[in-house]
């Protein structure tokens, strides 16, 4: 915040250098929330465009990353909200209650795919902390900064999320065996 | 034994009390594939996180061109608009000049015509005066038989 004032505006290659290491993280976060690959790519592109438009204020690399992650989270949550407001259910939730589709059966055989499906059903905050910690390996302080939570609240949410996944996973696991 | 250590780490992992380094150790343990039977049930979880980290964004990156093109377009639009206004102005100025010339010409023509008329009228009155003279003369002749 303090050092921003006299920084010259980034040019394109500086911008790309700052953003390239982050873009995959943005995409993975978007995909965790939106599930569909196309929508996640769309969201990532939107966020990158917004960052590019606001690049004047980007000077501190560390905070760019946190800022971009927060932006992606907000963008995706808004999108989900406007979707449920418009009564448009996500495609993947449309076939959860019917008898298992072929795709589900295929996914069920791929055990890492189970976890992906289990995570789809978690509350958004739990999805976010799991994604940011167990996939992206951020510290609690960083996650707190991104989600607007204090580190203790992050720890509590994370423990809850991990246990929720474990519970569902063990259910599935015992199905698979028994 | 390694699996005892991992089991302890996993227990504190679920309490969210492990460090990032310890969590990496757990993932590495499952990645190697020699997993103790009682720990296999957790495998999918750590496998999934490791897999998820491999995904990359393949969409496009923002390019300066789009914005640049817009700004050049707006410059071109302003120039075009300005030129249009300027030419339009000049054209109407020319037209005004032409109209003025035409009006001047019409005025001069009208003046000429009126002057002609006036001079003819004068000549007419002269003639009338002449006629009057003639009448006086004829009356003189008639009244003095």
């Amino acid at each position: 915040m303090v050092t921003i004032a006299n920084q010259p505006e980034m040019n394109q290659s500086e911008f790309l250098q700052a953003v390239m290491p982050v873009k995959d993280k943005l995409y993975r976060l978007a995909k965790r929330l939106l599930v569909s690959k196309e929508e996640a790519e769309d969201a990532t592109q939107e966020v990158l465009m917004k960052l590019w438009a606001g690049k004047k204020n980007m000077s501190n690399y560390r905070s760019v990353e946190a800022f971009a992650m927060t932006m992606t989270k907000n963008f995706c949550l808004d999108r989900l909200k406007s979707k449920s407001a418009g009564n448009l259910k996500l495609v993947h939730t449309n076939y959860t209650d019917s008898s298992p589709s072929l795709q589900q059966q295929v996914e069920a055989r791929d055990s890492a795919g189970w976890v992906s499906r289990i995570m789809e059903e978690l509350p958004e905050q739990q999805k976010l902390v799991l994604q940011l910690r167990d996939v992206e390996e951020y510290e609690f302080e960083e996650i707190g900064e991104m989600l607007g939570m204090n580190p203790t609240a992050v720890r509590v949410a994370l423990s809850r999320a991990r246990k929720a996944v474990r519970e569902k996973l063990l259910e599935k696991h015992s199905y698979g065996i028994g | 034994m390694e699996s005892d250590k991992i089991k302890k780490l996993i227990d504190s992992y679920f309490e969210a009390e492990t460090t990032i380094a310890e969590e990496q150790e757990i993932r590495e343990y499952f990645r190697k594939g020699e997993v103790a039977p009682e720990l296999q049930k957790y495998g999918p979880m750590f496998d999934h996180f490791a897999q998820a980290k491999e995904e990359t964004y393949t969409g496009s990156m923002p390019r300066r061109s789009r914005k640049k093109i817009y700004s050049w377009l707006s410059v071109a639009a302003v120039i075009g608009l300005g030129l249009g206004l300027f030419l339009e102005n000049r054209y109407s100025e020319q037209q005004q000049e032409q109209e003025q010339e035409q009006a001047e010409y019409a005025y001069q023509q009208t003046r000429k015509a009126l002057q002609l008329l006036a001079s003819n009228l004068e000549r007419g009155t002269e003639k009338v005066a002449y006629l009057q003279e003639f009448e006086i003369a004829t009356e003189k002749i008639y009244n003095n038989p």
Side-chain angles (χ1 to χ4, degrees):
Chain A
M1 272 310 236
V2 188
T3 54
I4 287 169
N6 291 323
Q7 291 279 344
E9 188 174 325
M10 284 185 173
N11 65 30
Q12 190 186 17
S13 67
E14 284 167 343
F15 172 79
L16 290 179
Q17 256 184 346
V19 162
M20 283 309 262
V22 192
K23 70 176 176 42
D24 294 331
K25 297 180 187 182
L26 303 183
Y27 169 70
R28 292 192 288 254
L29 182 65
K31 187 154 180 275
R32 182 67 73 193
L33 291 169
L34 300 173
V35 180
S36 129
K37 183 173 150 59
E38 288 75 28
E39 285 191 66
E41 282 192 348
D42 223 49
T44 309
Q45 199 162 358
E46 290 276 336
V47 169
L48 289 173
M49 290 303 290
K50 281 187 190 180
L51 282 172
W52 173 239
K55 65 187 180 307
K56 254 177 262 170
N57 305 323
M58 286 171 45
S59 53
N60 180 342
Y61 174 76
R62 180 80 246 164
S63 85
V64 168
E65 181 160 345
F67 178 65
M69 293 297 272
T70 307
M71 219 165 145
T72 305
K73 177 209 76 174
N74 290 340
F75 186 87
C76 295
L77 293 185
D78 280 354
R79 196 155 267 198
L80 288 172
K81 212 179 284 172
S82 69
K83 227 176 226 170
S84 67
N87 264 340
L88 285 166
K89 279 269 189 305
L90 285 174
V91 180
H92 72 281
T93 58
N94 279 349
Y95 50 74
T96 44
D97 49 0
S98 59
S99 58
S101 67
L102 183 66
Q103 193 188 344
Q104 262 181 309
Q105 287 170 5
V106 171
E107 275 179 7
R109 259 174 254 144
D110 163 24
S111 56
W114 292 351
V115 180
S116 158
R117 292 192 57 79
I118 287 168
M119 282 183 69
E120 281 174 32
E121 282 151 33
L122 294 179
E124 272 145 11
Q125 197 196 49
Q126 293 190 6
K127 284 182 201 173
L128 286 164
V129 290
L130 274 178
Q131 179 69 20
L132 295 176
R133 177 66 176 204
D134 283 339
V135 179
E136 307 301 350
E137 300 176 31
Y138 286 114
E139 298 288 352
F140 293 148
E141 287 75 18
E142 294 170 313
I143 298 173
E145 192 191 336
M146 290 168 191
L147 302 184
M149 296 162 73
N150 68 51
T152 313
V154 172
R155 181 186 298 275
V156 171
L158 183 65
S159 169
R160 208 168 283 162
R162 284 170 173 173
K163 284 175 178 168
V165 174
R166 176 177 64 183
E167 195 184 320
K168 293 255 177 71
L169 183 63
L170 295 187
E171 271 174 31
K172 290 218 181 202
H173 191 76
S174 54
Y175 275 145
I177 284 167
Chain B
M1 260 184 85
E2 193 187 9
S3 65
D4 285 340
K5 188 190 172 199
I6 295 297
K7 194 180 178 314
K8 266 185 203 142
L9 282 182
I10 288 177
D11 286 341
S12 51
Y13 165 83
F14 283 108
E15 300 306 320
E17 279 161 4
T18 40
T19 64
I20 286 173
E22 287 169 335
E23 288 162 17
Q24 280 169 346
E25 202 179 324
I26 299 173
R27 274 195 292 276
E28 182 58 22
Y29 171 79
F30 282 97
R31 197 191 60 76
K32 282 191 296 187
E34 294 158 21
V35 180
E38 74 271 21
L39 294 179
Q40 275 175 6
K41 57 190 175 208
Y42 300 121
M45 211 168 159
F46 298 103
D47 289 348
H48 169 72
F49 295 139
Q51 272 177 29
K53 205 179 166 65
E54 299 299 308
E55 267 195 279
T56 54
Y57 172 66
T58 53
S60 55
M61 296 295 288
R63 254 170 263 131
R64 72 152 35 135
S65 51
R66 210 199 280 197
K67 226 184 159 181
K68 268 277 146 82
I69 284 172
Y70 281 140
S71 61
W72 280 115
L73 261 180
S74 63
V75 169
V78 167
I79 289 175
L81 197 68
L83 203 68
L85 280 173
F86 175 69
L87 287 178
E88 160 67 23
N89 241 357
R90 265 181 59 125
Y91 177 69
S92 65
E93 253 172 47
Q94 263 179 357
Q95 267 206 330
Q96 262 180 351
E97 260 171 52
Q98 251 181 8
E99 271 168 32
Q100 235 165 18
E101 267 171 39
Q102 276 174 346
E104 181 77 20
Y105 179 72
Y107 171 69
Q108 294 299 347
Q109 289 297 318
T110 317
R111 231 172 88 119
K112 252 191 221 166
L114 284 174
Q115 258 171 0
L116 200 68
L117 189 69
S119 65
N120 277 335
L121 261 176
E122 245 170 85
R123 217 183 291 162
T125 43
E126 266 172 37
K127 292 282 191 254
V128 172
Y130 194 65
L131 253 169
Q132 238 169 0
E133 207 66 24
F134 178 72
E135 211 171 306
I136 294 165
T138 45
E139 260 175 39
K140 269 185 192 163
I141 294 166
Y142 278 122
N143 293 339
N144 300 313

